[in-house]
Amino acid sequence: MTDPEPRGSRAAGVWPLVHAERAALADDLADLTDEQWATPSLCTGLTVREVLAHLTSGASLNGVRWLAGVIRCRFDFDKQVAMRLAEQLGATAAETHDRFRRVITSTTKPPLPVMAMLGETIVHAEDIRRPLDIRHDYPIETLTRVAEYYQGSDLVVAAKRRIAGLRLVADDGPFTTGSGPLVSGTTLALVMATTGRSAYCDELDGEGVEILRDRRDMT
């Protein structure tokens, strides 16, 4: 299952990071109980199992199929997401997990930058891990690249607009951006709060934290 990037492109160096994070997530979820699979994720209205199916969908959907789905859903993007999620859910949690394992090394993607795929992988992995109290040590270099991507993009999620007028400073790595009221903390917490996961605001410090928390529903 491939959708090759041009040889030598910057994107080619991002795919191994995506694949590594998918593999780590698959391993973390290998022994979940049915009750754990049904746990509400940090994605409103979706269970842990459904978020994993969403990740599988993203790794299975090329530009042609994405456009066909958009047309089929009459340009209702939320409906398209729900439709593709249902396609990958499977009859059981074991099947959901197996389908995700099969796309770990996929380079298929919708018409999005590969950095968006890396961001989606990490953010949705935390949407799953956090409610299950599963901790994962992400490489700081990977998190920094994702933070740098989101600070300049509103594609998929309104990250750039959400942090406008704020100064973000990581206390565990080199990431820093913006000016204004300070928001500081781990790079992971900054990434998650930037993408609207307000639970991570509890791990941040500075006079800008409440401003960022109030922007959680920004689209």
Side-chain angles (χ1 to χ4, degrees):
M1 183 181 298
T2 59
D3 184 14
E5 296 287 336
R7 181 172 294 181
S9 71
R10 185 171 183 267
V14 179
W15 280 120
L17 306 181
V18 176
H19 298 159
E21 292 307 325
R22 287 175 182 163
L25 180 61
D27 287 347
D28 280 348
L29 305 181
D31 299 316
L32 295 191
T33 65
D34 288 342
E35 182 180 7
Q36 286 175 308
W37 280 114
T39 300
S41 74
L42 295 187
C43 282
T44 304
L46 297 183
T47 65
V48 160
R49 181 183 168 198
E50 288 168 332
V51 174
L52 192 68
H54 172 66
L55 282 173
T56 303
S57 172
S60 309
L61 191 63
N62 61 24
V64 173
R65 291 192 67 231
W66 177 84
L67 181 58
V70 168
I71 294 171
R72 178 180 171 185
C73 295
R74 299 185 179 183
F75 293 88
D76 184 332
F77 294 100
D78 290 338
K79 184 176 180 180
Q80 145 109 322
V81 168
M83 177 183 73
R84 297 304 185 187
L85 183 160
E87 289 176 352
Q88 299 298 338
L89 192 61
T92 65
E95 186 175 350
T96 306
H97 187 252
D98 184 60
R99 289 185 178 200
F100 181 69
R101 277 203 177 278
R102 292 203 296 265
V103 300
I104 284 174
T105 59
S106 169
T107 55
T108 297
K109 64 180 181 64
L112 295 170
V114 180
M115 279 304 303
M117 296 296 289
L118 179 60
E120 287 270 291
T121 301
I122 288 177
V123 169
H124 286 318
E126 280 299 292
D127 287 339
I128 290 170
R129 285 186 173 115
R130 175 86 176 216
L132 296 174
D133 198 26
I134 296 173
R135 303 297 174 182
H136 173 64
D137 291 327
Y138 299 90
I140 191 61
E141 296 83 1
T142 300
L143 291 176
T144 299
R145 291 183 72 167
V146 171
E148 289 172 346
Y149 168 73
Y150 279 130
Q151 63 89 23
S153 176
D154 281 329
L155 191 61
V156 183
V157 293
K160 181 180 178 180
R161 287 188 291 124
R162 188 173 281 112
I163 62 173
L166 299 174
R167 179 173 174 246
L168 273 58
V169 178
D171 61 15
D172 62 346
F175 176 69
T176 181
T177 189
S179 60
L182 176 67
V183 180
S184 67
T186 66
T187 312
L188 178 61
L190 290 172
V191 166
M192 296 302 290
T194 294
T195 55
R197 277 64 178 179
S198 61
Y200 287 80
C201 289
D202 295 340
E203 301 175 12
L204 299 173
D205 295 308
E207 63 271 27
V209 172
E210 291 310 309
I211 298 172
L212 185 55
R213 192 193 302 272
D214 288 344
R215 296 174 179 177
R216 60 186 176 275
D217 296 326
M218 183 178 289
T219 58

